Amino acid sequence: MRREVPLLITAIVGITFVVSYFIPHFPFNRMDAWFADWFSIIAACAIVLGALNLIKLSAQKVLDRKEDWVYSLVIIFSFILITVIGFWEGRDYRDPGTAFDWLYNNMYNPLSATMFSILAFFVASASYRAFRARNFEATLLLIAAFLVMIGRVPVGDFFTSFMPEGYRFSDLANWIMDYPQTAGQRAIMIGIGLGVVSTSLRVILGIERAHIGSGE
């Protein structure tokens, strides 16, 4: 029953969604609103479970003195602090001037900016490995990436300022983004759409069972 019930619920909800898309009459035309309410409730419960799981794993790491347990202690302290302040300030906790707003602007935002700045170095490293001219296709990708990057900065047009309008680096970068890049992006989006449809059918029909914890 632990596997059959989730599969049955998934099949009923999936089939109902498909039917409601093609039948715009009561009660199918109200299904979107009803399911949206249920999704909000389930998402709220999932957030609570996720937060409790985070606290549990972090506390276990601190108690066992595992590697980098100090960071887990910071997570627990920060979670409790922001939660207490949020509840203490009530519904207006996000208004400017509140303690929650101060913590968000002076701690959370700088930490997020630091994280994305670090990610920029990883992206640069991945780009270096991806853009190496190992074959003809990789060489084309390298040339296109170089032209787009130099066309997106002012120095690109500075080097080609002697050329007429429409033939400068910025124009070439726009042409690459409008035509070759758009064609490739559409092909990828079509592939993603077909993948979503096939995966959805597998889940509705009970063929795909990884979401209930078993691939059998």
Side-chain angles (χ1 to χ4, degrees):
M1 292 297 290
R2 294 180 59 185
R3 297 174 59 188
E4 285 74 8
V5 171
L7 289 174
L8 182 62
I9 294 174
T10 303
I12 292 174
V13 173
I15 294 172
T16 304
F17 260 118
V18 174
V19 172
S20 63
Y21 184 80
F22 294 100
I23 304 177
H25 303 289
F26 187 83
F28 297 102
N29 58 349
R30 301 289 305 277
M31 290 293 182
D32 288 344
W34 294 343
F35 281 123
D37 293 339
W38 276 101
F39 286 154
S40 298
I41 295 171
I42 294 173
C45 295
I47 290 174
V48 173
L49 290 176
L52 293 177
N53 190 50
L54 174 66
I55 295 297
K56 176 186 175 183
L57 295 178
S58 299
Q60 191 65 45
K61 194 171 182 178
V62 173
L63 293 175
D64 296 340
R65 293 291 194 273
K66 294 184 179 179
E67 185 180 3
D68 297 332
W69 62 272
V70 177
Y71 298 118
S72 298
L73 190 62
V74 173
I75 291 175
I76 297 173
F77 175 75
S78 304
F79 182 86
I80 295 175
L81 176 65
I82 201 72
T83 303
V84 170
I85 290 177
F87 279 109
W88 180 59
E89 293 186 326
R91 296 183 177 180
D92 301 328
Y93 70 101
R94 298 182 66 178
D95 289 348
T98 59
F100 187 94
D101 181 69
W102 187 90
L103 288 173
Y104 187 86
N105 290 325
N106 295 282
M107 297 189 70
Y108 179 79
N109 280 341
L111 289 173
S112 299
T114 303
M115 179 64 70
F116 281 105
S117 300
I118 295 173
L119 287 177
F121 290 96
F122 290 101
V123 171
S125 175
S127 301
Y128 171 75
R129 290 193 297 270
F131 291 161
R132 280 189 295 183
R134 291 170 295 187
N135 49 45
F136 178 72
E137 291 80 7
T139 304
L140 283 180
L141 182 63
L142 173 63
I143 294 173
F146 174 77
L147 293 175
V148 170
M149 285 190 291
I150 199 171
R152 294 302 190 199
V153 294
V155 70
D157 279 350
F158 174 76
F159 287 131
T160 54
S161 58
F162 61 92
M163 299 184 70
E165 291 283 346
Y167 295 93
R168 297 176 181 175
F169 274 130
S170 60
D171 301 314
L172 186 57
N174 290 333
W175 182 83
I176 292 174
M177 295 299 293
D178 290 340
Y179 294 99
Q181 186 272 150
T182 301
Q185 188 180 31
R186 285 174 179 169
I188 293 173
M189 294 303 294
I190 291 173
I192 292 174
L194 294 175
V196 170
V197 171
S198 63
T199 303
S200 300
L201 288 175
R202 287 173 59 86
V203 171
I204 291 173
L205 298 176
I207 301 173
E208 179 64 48
R209 303 184 179 185
H211 62 288
I212 58 175
S214 174
E216 299 178 356

mmCIF file of all heavy atoms in Angstrom, residues 53-78 80:
data_model
loop_
_atom_site.group_PDB
_atom_site.id
_atom_site.type_symbol
_atom_site.label_atom_id
_atom_site.label_comp_id
_atom_site.label_asym_id
_atom_site.label_seq_id
_atom_site.Cartn_x
_atom_site.Cartn_y
_atom_site.Cartn_z
ATOM 1 N N ASN A 53 14.267 18.978 8.614
ATOM 2 C CA ASN A 53 15.311 18.038 8.200
ATOM 3 C C ASN A 53 16.682 18.709 8.208
ATOM 4 O O ASN A 53 17.690 18.103 8.606
ATOM 5 C CB ASN A 53 14.988 17.507 6.801
ATOM 6 C CG ASN A 53 15.891 16.357 6.417
ATOM 7 O OD1 ASN A 53 16.056 15.413 7.184
ATOM 8 N ND2 ASN A 53 16.491 16.441 5.249
ATOM 9 N N LEU A 54 16.729 19.970 7.777
ATOM 10 C CA LEU A 54 17.996 20.709 7.811
ATOM 11 C C LEU A 54 18.511 20.857 9.236
ATOM 12 O O LEU A 54 19.707 20.639 9.504
ATOM 13 C CB LEU A 54 17.783 22.091 7.174
ATOM 14 C CG LEU A 54 18.978 23.054 7.255
ATOM 15 C CD1 LEU A 54 20.140 22.522 6.427
ATOM 16 C CD2 LEU A 54 18.578 24.445 6.785
ATOM 17 N N ILE A 55 17.617 21.203 10.163
ATOM 18 C CA ILE A 55 18.026 21.339 11.563
ATOM 19 C C ILE A 55 18.479 19.997 12.130
ATOM 20 O O ILE A 55 19.484 19.916 12.851
ATOM 21 C CB ILE A 55 16.853 21.907 12.400
ATOM 22 C CG1 ILE A 55 16.536 23.332 11.938
ATOM 23 C CG2 ILE A 55 17.190 21.890 13.876
ATOM 24 C CD1 ILE A 55 17.659 24.304 12.134
ATOM 25 N N LYS A 56 17.757 18.931 11.780
ATOM 26 C CA LYS A 56 18.115 17.605 12.298
ATOM 27 C C LYS A 56 19.503 17.184 11.824
ATOM 28 O O LYS A 56 20.350 16.747 12.617
ATOM 29 C CB LYS A 56 17.065 16.581 11.836
ATOM 30 C CG LYS A 56 17.398 15.158 12.231
ATOM 31 C CD LYS A 56 16.396 14.177 11.623
ATOM 32 C CE LYS A 56 16.821 12.742 11.923
ATOM 33 N NZ LYS A 56 15.887 11.775 11.256
ATOM 34 N N LEU A 57 19.763 17.319 10.515
ATOM 35 C CA LEU A 57 21.064 16.916 9.974
ATOM 36 C C LEU A 57 22.191 17.787 10.518
ATOM 37 O O LEU A 57 23.278 17.290 10.839
ATOM 38 C CB LEU A 57 21.027 16.996 8.446
ATOM 39 C CG LEU A 57 20.079 16.020 7.747
ATOM 40 C CD1 LEU A 57 20.094 16.241 6.236
ATOM 41 C CD2 LEU A 57 20.462 14.580 8.069
ATOM 42 N N SER A 58 21.920 19.092 10.647
ATOM 43 C CA SER A 58 22.957 19.990 11.170
ATOM 44 C C SER A 58 23.249 19.683 12.631
ATOM 45 O O SER A 58 24.413 19.673 13.052
ATOM 46 C CB SER A 58 22.504 21.440 10.999
ATOM 47 O OG SER A 58 22.295 21.754 9.643
ATOM 48 N N ALA A 59 22.196 19.446 13.421
ATOM 49 C CA ALA A 59 22.399 19.122 14.833
ATOM 50 C C ALA A 59 23.159 17.815 14.997
ATOM 51 O O ALA A 59 24.040 17.702 15.864
ATOM 52 C CB ALA A 59 21.041 19.047 15.538
ATOM 53 N N GLN A 60 22.825 16.824 14.166
ATOM 54 C CA GLN A 60 23.540 15.548 14.235
ATOM 55 C C GLN A 60 25.024 15.725 13.896
ATOM 56 O O GLN A 60 25.896 15.110 14.514
ATOM 57 C CB GLN A 60 22.894 14.561 13.252
ATOM 58 C CG GLN A 60 23.375 13.123 13.416
ATOM 59 C CD GLN A 60 22.954 12.559 14.752
ATOM 60 O OE1 GLN A 60 21.824 12.729 15.175
ATOM 61 N NE2 GLN A 60 23.884 11.874 15.415
ATOM 62 N N LYS A 61 25.289 16.597 12.940
ATOM 63 C CA LYS A 61 26.683 16.847 12.556
ATOM 64 C C LYS A 61 27.447 17.539 13.678
ATOM 65 O O LYS A 61 28.627 17.253 13.929
ATOM 66 C CB LYS A 61 26.707 17.723 11.297
ATOM 67 C CG LYS A 61 28.050 17.776 10.604
ATOM 68 C CD LYS A 61 27.933 18.483 9.268
ATOM 69 C CE LYS A 61 29.277 18.483 8.547
ATOM 70 N NZ LYS A 61 29.158 19.143 7.216
ATOM 71 N N VAL A 62 26.759 18.456 14.386
ATOM 72 C CA VAL A 62 27.409 19.139 15.511
ATOM 73 C C VAL A 62 27.657 18.166 16.652
ATOM 74 O O VAL A 62 28.731 18.158 17.260
ATOM 75 C CB VAL A 62 26.539 20.323 15.970
ATOM 76 C CG1 VAL A 62 27.109 20.929 17.250
ATOM 77 C CG2 VAL A 62 26.473 21.377 14.879
ATOM 78 N N LEU A 63 26.667 17.330 16.967
ATOM 79 C CA LEU A 63 26.811 16.391 18.083
ATOM 80 C C LEU A 63 27.904 15.374 17.826
ATOM 81 O O LEU A 63 28.631 14.977 18.742
ATOM 82 C CB LEU A 63 25.474 15.678 18.327
ATOM 83 C CG LEU A 63 24.328 16.565 18.837
ATOM 84 C CD1 LEU A 63 23.032 15.769 18.922
ATOM 85 C CD2 LEU A 63 24.680 17.163 20.197
ATOM 86 N N ASP A 64 28.038 14.950 16.557
ATOM 87 C CA ASP A 64 29.070 13.954 16.208
ATOM 88 C C ASP A 64 30.425 14.581 15.934
ATOM 89 O O ASP A 64 31.392 13.842 15.664
ATOM 90 C CB ASP A 64 28.622 13.153 14.983
ATOM 91 C CG ASP A 64 27.381 12.329 15.252
ATOM 92 O OD1 ASP A 64 27.102 12.078 16.446
ATOM 93 O OD2 ASP A 64 26.682 11.955 14.297
ATOM 94 N N ARG A 65 30.503 15.919 15.982
ATOM 95 C CA ARG A 65 31.763 16.621 15.714
ATOM 96 C C ARG A 65 32.379 16.187 14.392
ATOM 97 O O ARG A 65 33.590 15.927 14.286
ATOM 98 C CB ARG A 65 32.764 16.402 16.849
ATOM 99 C CG ARG A 65 32.352 17.035 18.163
ATOM 100 C CD ARG A 65 32.416 18.581 18.066
ATOM 101 N NE ARG A 65 32.345 19.210 19.368
ATOM 102 C CZ ARG A 65 31.205 19.517 19.990
ATOM 103 N NH1 ARG A 65 30.038 19.250 19.402
ATOM 104 N NH2 ARG A 65 31.224 20.088 21.175
ATOM 105 N N LYS A 66 31.528 16.135 13.356
ATOM 106 C CA LYS A 66 32.026 15.781 12.034
ATOM 107 C C LYS A 66 32.787 16.952 11.419
ATOM 108 O O LYS A 66 32.854 18.032 11.991
ATOM 109 C CB LYS A 66 30.861 15.366 11.131
ATOM 110 C CG LYS A 66 30.186 14.083 11.567
ATOM 111 C CD LYS A 66 29.102 13.687 10.581
ATOM 112 C CE LYS A 66 28.448 12.381 11.002
ATOM 113 N NZ LYS A 66 27.357 11.977 10.066
ATOM 114 N N GLU A 67 33.366 16.717 10.246
ATOM 115 C CA GLU A 67 34.177 17.744 9.605
ATOM 116 C C GLU A 67 33.318 18.984 9.297
ATOM 117 O O GLU A 67 32.189 18.868 8.812
ATOM 118 C CB GLU A 67 34.784 17.189 8.309
ATOM 119 C CG GLU A 67 35.742 18.142 7.628
ATOM 120 C CD GLU A 67 36.313 17.538 6.358
ATOM 121 O OE1 GLU A 67 35.903 16.405 6.002
ATOM 122 O OE2 GLU A 67 37.154 18.204 5.721
ATOM 123 N N ASP A 68 33.881 20.166 9.562
ATOM 124 C CA ASP A 68 33.205 21.454 9.334
ATOM 125 C C ASP A 68 31.900 21.558 10.116
ATOM 126 O O ASP A 68 30.919 22.151 9.643
ATOM 127 C CB ASP A 68 32.925 21.648 7.833
ATOM 128 C CG ASP A 68 34.202 21.711 7.016
ATOM 129 O OD1 ASP A 68 35.228 22.129 7.570
ATOM 130 O OD2 ASP A 68 34.162 21.324 5.835
ATOM 131 N N TRP A 69 31.871 21.003 11.340
ATOM 132 C CA TRP A 69 30.647 21.059 12.145
ATOM 133 C C TRP A 69 30.334 22.484 12.587
ATOM 134 O O TRP A 69 29.183 22.799 12.912
ATOM 135 C CB TRP A 69 30.787 20.158 13.364
ATOM 136 C CG TRP A 69 31.901 20.555 14.296
ATOM 137 C CD1 TRP A 69 33.192 20.166 14.230
ATOM 138 C CD2 TRP A 69 31.813 21.455 15.409
ATOM 139 N NE1 TRP A 69 33.926 20.737 15.228
ATOM 140 C CE2 TRP A 69 33.099 21.539 15.971
ATOM 141 C CE3 TRP A 69 30.784 22.184 15.999
ATOM 142 C CZ2 TRP A 69 33.381 22.336 17.081
ATOM 143 C CZ3 TRP A 69 31.051 22.974 17.101
ATOM 144 C CH2 TRP A 69 32.332 23.037 17.626
ATOM 145 N N VAL A 70 31.351 23.353 12.565
ATOM 146 C CA VAL A 70 31.122 24.741 12.974
ATOM 147 C C VAL A 70 30.134 25.421 12.027
ATOM 148 O O VAL A 70 29.284 26.230 12.451
ATOM 149 C CB VAL A 70 32.454 25.504 13.012
ATOM 150 C CG1 VAL A 70 32.211 26.975 13.358
ATOM 151 C CG2 VAL A 70 33.401 24.877 14.003
ATOM 152 N N TYR A 71 30.223 25.089 10.737
ATOM 153 C CA TYR A 71 29.288 25.687 9.776
ATOM 154 C C TYR A 71 27.855 25.251 10.062
ATOM 155 O O TYR A 71 26.902 26.020 9.882
ATOM 156 C CB TYR A 71 29.693 25.304 8.353
ATOM 157 C CG TYR A 71 31.064 25.801 7.969
ATOM 158 C CD1 TYR A 71 32.072 24.915 7.647
ATOM 159 C CD2 TYR A 71 31.346 27.164 7.933
ATOM 160 C CE1 TYR A 71 33.340 25.362 7.305
ATOM 161 C CE2 TYR A 71 32.605 27.627 7.589
ATOM 162 C CZ TYR A 71 33.605 26.717 7.273
ATOM 163 O OH TYR A 71 34.843 27.178 6.942
ATOM 164 N N SER A 72 27.695 24.017 10.483
ATOM 165 C CA SER A 72 26.355 23.548 10.848
ATOM 166 C C SER A 72 25.830 24.299 12.062
ATOM 167 O O SER A 72 24.632 24.601 12.152
ATOM 168 C CB SER A 72 26.391 22.041 11.141
ATOM 169 O OG SER A 72 26.792 21.325 9.985
ATOM 170 N N LEU A 73 26.727 24.608 12.987
ATOM 171 C CA LEU A 73 26.314 25.395 14.154
ATOM 172 C C LEU A 73 25.864 26.794 13.732
ATOM 173 O O LEU A 73 24.877 27.332 14.267
ATOM 174 C CB LEU A 73 27.485 25.486 15.133
ATOM 175 C CG LEU A 73 27.173 26.076 16.520
ATOM 176 C CD1 LEU A 73 26.153 25.200 17.251
ATOM 177 C CD2 LEU A 73 28.454 26.213 17.333
ATOM 178 N N VAL A 74 26.552 27.374 12.766
ATOM 179 C CA VAL A 74 26.149 28.693 12.250
ATOM 180 C C VAL A 74 24.775 28.598 11.586
ATOM 181 O O VAL A 74 23.932 29.501 11.728
ATOM 182 C CB VAL A 74 27.207 29.214 11.254
ATOM 183 C CG1 VAL A 74 26.715 30.489 10.575
ATOM 184 C CG2 VAL A 74 28.527 29.465 11.964
ATOM 185 N N ILE A 75 24.531 27.504 10.846
ATOM 186 C CA ILE A 75 23.224 27.314 10.204
ATOM 187 C C ILE A 75 22.109 27.274 11.251
ATOM 188 O O ILE A 75 21.074 27.941 11.111
ATOM 189 C CB ILE A 75 23.241 26.022 9.368
ATOM 190 C CG1 ILE A 75 24.157 26.202 8.154
ATOM 191 C CG2 ILE A 75 21.826 25.657 8.930
ATOM 192 C CD1 ILE A 75 24.331 24.931 7.349
ATOM 193 N N ILE A 76 22.314 26.496 12.314
ATOM 194 C CA ILE A 76 21.285 26.373 13.351
ATOM 195 C C ILE A 76 21.033 27.719 14.024
ATOM 196 O O ILE A 76 19.879 28.146 14.203
ATOM 197 C CB ILE A 76 21.709 25.314 14.385
ATOM 198 C CG1 ILE A 76 21.813 23.943 13.717
ATOM 199 C CG2 ILE A 76 20.726 25.277 15.549
ATOM 200 C CD1 ILE A 76 22.378 22.867 14.621
ATOM 201 N N PHE A 77 22.124 28.407 14.385
ATOM 202 C CA PHE A 77 21.981 29.705 15.053
ATOM 203 C C PHE A 77 21.271 30.706 14.145
ATOM 204 O O PHE A 77 20.365 31.432 14.588
ATOM 205 C CB PHE A 77 23.359 30.224 15.448
ATOM 206 C CG PHE A 77 23.330 31.604 16.033
ATOM 207 C CD1 PHE A 77 22.873 31.825 17.327
ATOM 208 C CD2 PHE A 77 23.745 32.692 15.272
ATOM 209 C CE1 PHE A 77 22.831 33.105 17.851
ATOM 210 C CE2 PHE A 77 23.701 33.978 15.793
ATOM 211 C CZ PHE A 77 23.248 34.180 17.083
ATOM 212 N N SER A 78 21.662 30.766 12.871
ATOM 213 C CA SER A 78 21.048 31.722 11.940
ATOM 214 C C SER A 78 19.582 31.403 11.724
ATOM 215 O O SER A 78 18.731 32.308 11.663
ATOM 216 C CB SER A 78 21.794 31.691 10.605
ATOM 217 O OG SER A 78 23.163 31.955 10.778
ATOM 218 N N ILE A 80 17.470 29.815 13.784
ATOM 219 C CA ILE A 80 16.683 30.164 14.977
ATOM 220 C C ILE A 80 16.542 31.676 15.110
ATOM 221 O O ILE A 80 15.456 32.200 15.405
ATOM 222 C CB ILE A 80 17.343 29.557 16.234
ATOM 223 C CG1 ILE A 80 17.287 28.029 16.158
ATOM 224 C CG2 ILE A 80 16.646 30.052 17.502
ATOM 225 C CD1 ILE A 80 18.021 27.332 17.286
#
